[in-house]
Amino acid sequence: MLSFCSDFELGMTITEKILAYSSHKSQVSPGDVIFSKIDKVMLHDVSGPGVIKILHEWEKKGKKIEKIWDPDRVWISEDHFVPSSDRISAENIRILTEWAQRYGIKKHFKYGLGQYGICHTLSHEEGLILPGEVYVGGDSHTNTTGALGAFAAGLGHTDIAYVLTHGKIWFKVPEALMFKITGKKPDYIMAKDIILRIIGDIGTDGANYKTMQFSGNAISDLSIEERLTLTNMTTEAGAKNGIIDPDEKTEQYLRERTKNAFKPLYTDSDATFSETFTYEIESMEPTIAKPFSPENITVARELQNVEIDKAYIGSCTGAKLEDLRMAAKILKGHKVKVRTEILPAAQSIYMKAIREGLVEIFMESGAVIGPPTCGACCGAHMGVLSKDEICISTTNRNFPGRMGHVESKTYLASPIVVAASAISGKITDPRDQVISS
Amino acid sequence: MKILKGNVHKYAKDNIDTDVIIPGPYLKIHDFKELAKHALEGLDPQFPSKVNQGDFILAGKNFGCGSSREHAPIALHEVGITAILSPSFARIFYRNAVDGGYLLPIEIDEKIISEIDDSDTLEINLETNTIFNITKNKTYLIKPFPELISKIVECGGLINFNPE
Ligand code: SF4
């Protein structure tokens, strides 16, 4: 299976292999600075106009940009400020659309034109990124897609502008941390609990500049969507990338979504990790990150008297189809006690949720269902929090002001904890949910 | 290489994130001058009125964690900040600051933080990798930039940088 890269010397992690391959080297080691050839690049309605602005600045300074390196490797999503929350957002969409047309970018997922959604959901839902690829995006949660066995990392506007004009960018080869999760997963535990626990243990800078790799039989047992929750939040520990060796599940997931061929790479058995952390999944508890940091964790049962004003099920972290299914299991036949907003992460997921009857369960519970958008997750629009409001959310960040007013508070939790809390109006461990109806 | 001179704005907190450097609602703004008006708004709304061109921020570790928004170094650069002194930086903030040529992320020893006060006047010398505190007549060492980063800094960012 590794025949195409048989010139690699042994002892590399999957990340090192991808970076070696992309920089035409037979071996790379942590600390090496390399220039990697990029396979795919993503822009959204915030980073896109930012990158376009940088390209304009470069042109003003005399750099000629007649074409971009490879329009077929660029894709665009409209997610942060759709539906346009005001005139500036509408203007940004216009700028982005005109630019995409001018440079011949065809993969533009437009709000209101068929499939669209949050960038880190489309990346896997549409099978846009494949194992073994180097994928960069103008968003910090680009790490998400590493769950498919790609090197996926977020970059800023200037770096993306450089990729668009040169097709490559520099990386410092990261050290790798290994998180080995073993055991049989209890029903009440989701990937969100695992990653919150890890961030709580290593801190928001615990993986700064490093790779977070996941393995172990509990990871093999997880679905692809659940694995994506793990890699999504590696960003919250400062990681350069999160990654999981691909397996049959990865292959099957992608086969259902793309006809494109791919060449997966795998970690060598003698690869070096700077540290290995081992967790027994049976001993994990439904976990919550309290305001104002994803590392500020405790178990749900410790917070059962905390009353909430809003329950939010949305974002690239917590509104994939499986997240919605798990929430629906809890909400079925119950009424929510607090404002509950559910926003599927992509149009295709919304459609599947309707077909499976999930949307009906949500609406009967009293929750409101919104169109896919980043809006409330980044405190921008479509349901921001007022001063002192308390929200429990399936999203990934709870910094001051993240979901609205700087004096609002966000607790991060799994979709089942959020759903159970919506029913009781207080933070609730799903095991303690009182069935009243 | 030039010497930077300016006054310090001290925020000795760890993990100053991009949501407080430039809050989410401003992400749709791409006018640099407009962004500058909101620099560090989530931490100190008065900040833009306190800064003079050439000033520095002194902060706790993991400065710039959170999102990849280049708005963060842009807002700080545009308001007049030329360097951030911190024991460590979040990786995307670091890249953006250097690759965009906006400001210098200077890594210092954590112990130095308590030796520098708000409003102290400093001179940062990238040739000797030292900071001279003019107010206190003291010198501190800084962690030198890796070779590639030095080259990008000298080019004023990636715009003029060619790896070959
Ligand atoms: S849903 Fe939230 S975390 Fe995900 S891309 Fe949008 S703003 Fe970022």
Side-chain angles (χ1 to χ4, degrees):
Chain A
M1 221 160 182
L2 281 175
S3 59
F4 89 107
C5 58
S6 56
D7 48 341
F8 285 153
E9 289 165 33
L10 282 180
M12 282 195 284
T13 66
I14 174 170
T15 299
E16 288 159 3
K17 273 191 191 168
I18 297 173
L19 291 178
Y21 186 64
S22 66
S23 59
H24 306 292
K25 291 187 183 342
S26 59
Q27 183 92 40
V28 296
S29 306
D32 292 356
V33 176
I34 50 151
F35 265 82
S36 278
K37 187 169 66 59
I38 304 300
D39 292 298
K40 306 277 167 61
V41 56
M42 180 277 293
L43 307 167
H44 55 49
D45 59 342
V46 169
S47 56
V51 171
I52 295 166
K53 168 97 180 171
I54 300 287
L55 292 169
H56 283 328
E57 296 284 317
W58 286 2
E59 279 177 317
K60 271 197 234 157
K61 291 180 185 156
K63 215 176 159 103
K64 278 228 159 357
I65 304 163
E66 274 147 13
K67 57 181 179 59
I68 58 169
W69 130 88
D70 190 347
D72 292 338
R73 292 179 182 274
V74 183
W75 66 278
I76 298 175
S77 78
E78 295 178 2
D79 54 8
H80 278 64
F81 289 93
V82 292
S84 292
S85 56
D86 55 27
R87 283 184 236 167
I88 303 176
S89 315
E91 185 66 12
N92 280 338
I93 298 287
R94 189 186 59 76
I95 292 170
L96 192 57
T97 305
E98 284 177 7
W99 182 84
Q101 283 167 355
R102 178 172 159 207
Y103 288 100
I105 294 157
K106 293 180 215 88
K107 278 195 210 82
H108 184 166
F109 297 90
K110 288 191 71 58
Y111 170 78
L113 257 180
Q115 172 70 318
Y116 91 100
I118 299 170
C119 53
H120 310 305
T121 306
L122 294 179
S123 64
H124 56 88
E125 182 72 4
E126 287 292 303
L128 296 170
I129 311 303
L130 302 172
E133 290 188 337
V134 178
Y135 164 50
V136 294
D139 191 279
S140 61
H141 290 102
T142 303
N143 291 25
T144 311
T145 321
L148 301 177
F151 174 82
L155 296 177
H157 305 163
T158 300
D159 283 348
I160 296 284
Y162 195 84
V163 170
L164 289 176
T165 45
H166 294 74
K168 52 186 170 180
I169 194 73
W170 67 270
F171 292 113
K172 194 161 147 199
V173 178
E175 274 177 36
L177 304 178
M178 168 57 84
F179 296 86
K180 210 168 185 174
I181 325 285
T182 56
K184 190 170 164 359
K185 187 181 77 63
D187 291 346
Y188 49 84
I189 293 297
M190 292 189 72
K192 185 67 168 280
D193 300 301
I194 304 174
I195 190 67
L196 286 176
R197 171 69 194 280
I198 291 174
I199 297 166
D201 287 350
I202 67 171
T204 49
D205 61 351
N208 227 349
Y209 309 118
K210 297 179 185 156
T211 295
M212 288 173 79
Q213 186 169 333
F214 303 88
S215 75
N217 77 299
I219 301 298
S220 313
D221 290 348
L222 287 182
S223 66
I224 296 299
E225 285 197 349
E226 279 282 89
R227 295 179 194 179
L228 286 152
T229 303
L230 294 178
T231 44
N232 176 279
M233 288 196 70
T234 59
T235 305
E236 272 54 63
K240 174 178 237 128
N241 70 313
I243 201 160
I244 298 171
D245 274 323
D247 61 10
E248 305 80 58
K249 279 188 186 165
T250 323
E251 182 140 0
Q252 195 199 332
Y253 181 90
L254 287 167
R255 288 276 163 259
E256 288 164 10
R257 288 167 170 79
T258 177
K259 289 193 181 67
N260 293 335
F262 50 88
K263 295 171 180 165
L265 292 168
Y266 305 91
T267 300
D268 292 321
S269 56
D270 56 348
T272 315
F273 291 89
S274 58
E275 233 175 307
T276 298
F277 300 80
T278 313
Y279 290 91
E280 249 312 314
I281 199 163
E282 276 113 344
S283 67
M284 287 196 178
E285 298 265 318
T287 301
I288 309 247
K290 297 180 286 181
F292 289 101
S293 171
E295 72 179 25
N296 194 13
I297 65 155
T298 188
V299 295
R301 279 180 173 159
E302 283 290 314
L303 299 172
Q304 51 191 348
N305 293 320
V306 175
E307 295 196 2
I308 54 171
D309 299 296
K310 159 169 163 169
Y312 186 72
I313 298 175
S315 86
C316 54
T317 323
K320 302 178 285 315
L321 185 61
E322 201 168 324
D323 298 316
L324 302 183
R325 281 183 186 147
M326 296 304 284
K329 258 192 197 165
I330 305 277
L331 287 171
K332 192 170 182 177
H334 296 282
K335 293 278 180 228
V336 295
K337 242 194 199 143
V338 291
R339 183 167 98 240
T340 301
E341 301 166 15
I342 305 178
L343 284 76
Q347 186 85 338
S348 55
I349 291 175
Y350 200 158
M351 180 69 102
K352 289 175 201 166
I354 291 174
R355 290 202 179 116
E356 291 187 14
L358 310 182
V359 169
E360 199 175 327
I361 294 171
F362 296 149
M363 292 188 80
E364 291 210 325
S365 78
V368 66
I369 319 298
T373 177
C374 292
C377 170
C378 59
H381 65 117
M382 292 274 289
V384 298
L385 300 172
S386 74
K387 185 170 181 291
D388 296 328
E389 269 196 318
I390 299 178
C391 172
I392 188 156
S393 173
T394 64
T395 55
N396 51 31
R397 286 192 178 136
N398 60 350
F399 303 131
R402 171 68 183 184
M403 294 187 78
H405 196 281
V406 272
E407 285 170 49
S408 62
K409 291 194 178 111
T410 296
Y411 290 82
L412 305 175
S414 76
I416 51 180
V417 172
V418 172
S421 307
I423 296 168
S424 53
K426 290 191 276 194
I427 293 182
T428 302
D429 184 316
R431 290 171 292 179
D432 303 333
Q433 195 189 359
V434 183
I435 312 289
S436 55
S437 56
Chain B
M1 198 176 268
K2 60 179 187 230
I3 290 172
L4 305 177
K5 186 175 167 190
N7 295 335
V8 167
H9 301 272
K10 182 168 174 176
Y11 299 95
K13 257 166 74 92
D14 291 344
N15 304 315
I16 294 177
D17 63 83
T18 53
D19 276 304
V20 309
I21 299 173
I22 187 85
Y26 305 123
L27 293 184
K28 59 190 167 214
I29 299 171
H30 296 287
D31 174 345
F32 293 1
K33 297 242 155 18
E34 194 55 38
L35 286 173
K37 292 185 195 157
H38 305 287
L40 218 57
E41 188 173 288
L43 188 62
D44 178 2
Q46 307 312 320
F47 179 73
S49 62
K50 295 179 183 166
V51 180
N52 290 313
Q53 179 58 40
D55 282 357
F56 312 127
I57 289 176
L58 173 67
K61 67 183 164 69
N62 202 24
F63 187 89
C65 61
S67 89
S68 62
R69 59 190 73 166
E70 198 153 312
H71 307 62
I74 290 173
L76 295 175
H77 160 83
E78 213 50 43
V79 80
I81 297 294
T82 51
I84 316 279
L85 314 178
S86 165
S88 65
F89 292 87
R91 60 165 284 271
I92 304 183
F93 182 89
Y94 186 96
R95 294 188 73 108
N96 287 345
V98 170
D99 290 355
Y102 303 116
L103 36 86
L104 300 177
I106 307 255
E107 292 182 346
I108 53 166
D109 193 325
E110 202 160 353
K111 285 182 239 124
I112 298 174
I113 297 178
S114 59
E115 296 183 26
I116 303 174
D117 289 318
D118 196 54
S119 308
D120 280 2
T121 306
L122 308 181
E123 255 180 23
I124 300 175
N125 185 331
L126 289 182
E127 208 139 88
T128 55
N129 287 309
T130 53
I131 299 172
F132 178 55
N133 187 335
I134 298 177
T135 313
K136 301 212 159 57
N137 194 20
K138 261 189 169 169
T139 303
Y140 323 104
L141 289 180
I142 60 181
K143 201 166 146 198
F145 285 123
E147 199 185 324
L148 176 91
I149 303 298
S150 271
K151 279 192 198 146
I152 298 174
V153 166
E154 272 167 43
C155 291
L158 279 184
I159 172 175
N160 299 315
F161 179 76
N162 198 342
E164 275 86 42

